[in-house]
Amino acid sequence: MKITALVENRSDCDLKPTHGLALYVETEKHRLLFDLGPDKTLFENAAKKGVRLEKVDTVVISHGHFDHGGALGRFLEINPTAKIYVQRKAFEAHYSKFLCFRVPVGLDEKCKENGQVVLLDGDFSIDEELQLFIVPETGKCYSDANNALYMKGGRDDFLHEQNLLIWEKKNVLIMGCGHAGVVNILERIRDEKPEYCIGGYHVLNPMRRKTVPEALLDEISAELGKYPGMHFYTCHCTGKRAYDYLRKKVKDMNYLSCGETLAIGE
């Protein structure tokens, strides 16, 4: 399995960084994209890496925020065959509160009418290799950075957020922002014993550029320490300050930046 970050906040190469996430995943059976990023960055960076997006067979959009699915419309124009798996609630209105204003941060609702889009209502098994799941229980180590995010009825409950479990020679968990909390997400699939945990932890408010208190990062690091042998690769909404703090406390904590490829099982 190979996982390449095509869209991510940081870049140490010639690929363009931007606030968002898109991971290109090559498995035994699939060429898939986990998230699409906000704009044309995906397409520019894919061309530089030699990734043929028209050959992608599966897309997973982690949740209903544009920095993860804003490029959906353009992707559908170049790829007429891939199935796009997204929670139905992801196409509802979503907002980020900044000062006294609620700024729309949702997906293009028109895209949900496309025949390639598969609308889900909870957990879903794509096949024997790919499993999607949501996390209703968010009680442990919940990030205050979520408090700025809203849906139509009030504070966001993140039931529009799904995560991907890949069963291969080594089981891999991929998250988008991990709004439900990396601790809660891992507990939801503890019995599946994933060996890699990849994705953001949403411990940074991107509009205010404020990281959660170190006390919460200490709680998270203590919980992650209960998974000996786990390889952690974080990115996107974790932020550099939180990452630098966590990597001093969590064994095998790494950062997956734009352009980097993670080879699993080699």
Side-chain angles (χ1 to χ4, degrees):
M1 189 190 312
K2 291 184 179 179
I3 302 173
T4 301
L6 292 180
V7 177
E8 209 280 316
N9 297 43
R10 296 168 54 185
S11 177
D12 298 315
C13 63
D14 63 336
L15 268 63
K16 174 186 174 182
T18 196
H19 179 77
L21 186 67
L23 304 177
Y24 176 64
V25 185
E26 301 170 83
T27 72
E28 291 182 358
K29 298 182 179 181
H30 293 283
R31 298 294 179 267
L32 70 92
L33 282 169
F34 186 91
D35 286 337
L36 299 168
D39 53 26
K40 63 182 181 180
T41 303
L42 168 65
F43 309 96
E44 294 174 352
N45 287 347
K48 289 181 179 179
K49 292 293 288 186
V51 174
R52 298 183 63 185
L53 297 179
E54 71 275 11
K55 297 295 185 181
V56 167
D57 58 79
T58 303
V59 175
V60 173
I61 296 180
S62 63
H63 61 295
H65 292 165
F66 77 92
D67 52 329
H68 295 258
L72 176 56
R74 183 166 179 177
F75 177 83
L76 290 169
E77 292 175 0
I78 68 165
N79 186 315
T81 58
K83 291 294 185 181
I84 320 294
Y85 295 92
V86 58
Q87 291 294 314
R88 188 182 309 274
K89 290 178 178 291
F91 281 104
E92 296 177 358
H94 295 94
Y95 307 92
S96 179
K97 188 175 181 180
F98 183 67
L99 300 176
C100 297
F101 303 97
R102 291 191 183 185
V103 181
V105 295
L107 305 179
D108 183 352
E109 191 176 5
K110 295 191 296 293
C111 290
K112 76 175 183 179
E113 305 300 333
N114 188 285
Q116 292 172 243
V117 175
V118 181
L119 298 175
L120 305 177
D121 296 294
D123 298 354
F124 183 79
S125 178
I126 296 175
D127 57 23
E128 66 275 9
E129 189 179 70
L130 307 176
Q131 170 74 44
L132 299 170
F133 67 96
I134 65 171
V135 180
E137 300 297 327
T138 59
K140 282 191 175 181
C141 303
Y142 194 70
S143 172
D144 292 343
N146 284 327
N147 292 341
L149 295 168
Y150 286 77
M151 55 188 186
K152 187 175 180 180
R155 286 256 176 93
D156 205 321
D157 59 13
F158 301 109
L159 291 178
H160 59 99
E161 180 182 65
Q162 60 186 358
N163 310 279
L164 174 64
L165 183 62
I166 304 176
W167 283 295
E168 241 190 32
K169 294 175 183 177
K170 295 186 181 295
N171 294 343
V172 175
L173 164 66
I174 302 182
M175 312 176 298
C177 276
H179 288 289
V182 59
V183 174
N184 300 306
I185 294 169
L186 282 169
E187 287 199 354
R188 175 76 165 75
I189 56 164
R190 182 185 290 272
D191 292 343
E192 308 300 339
K193 297 180 172 58
E195 297 178 61
Y196 286 78
C197 175
I198 302 166
Y201 297 171
H202 201 71
V203 289
L204 172 70
N205 182 318
M207 286 194 170
R208 298 175 61 195
R209 298 184 180 180
K210 183 178 180 181
T211 300
V212 299
E214 290 182 356
L216 177 59
L217 298 179
D218 287 337
E219 291 178 23
I220 292 172
S221 61
E223 292 291 334
L224 297 186
K226 297 178 181 179
Y227 295 87
M230 179 80 75
H231 305 285
F232 294 99
Y233 285 82
T234 194
C235 53
H236 181 45
C237 54
T238 300
K240 186 177 186 304
R241 179 182 172 188
Y243 166 69
D244 288 342
Y245 189 87
L246 288 169
R247 73 187 177 99
K248 296 175 183 177
K249 294 177 173 288
V250 180
K251 185 179 180 181
D252 206 355
M253 175 65 71
N254 308 277
Y255 197 97
L256 185 64
S257 62
C258 191
E260 291 186 326
T261 296
L262 173 61
I264 294 175
E266 293 187 358

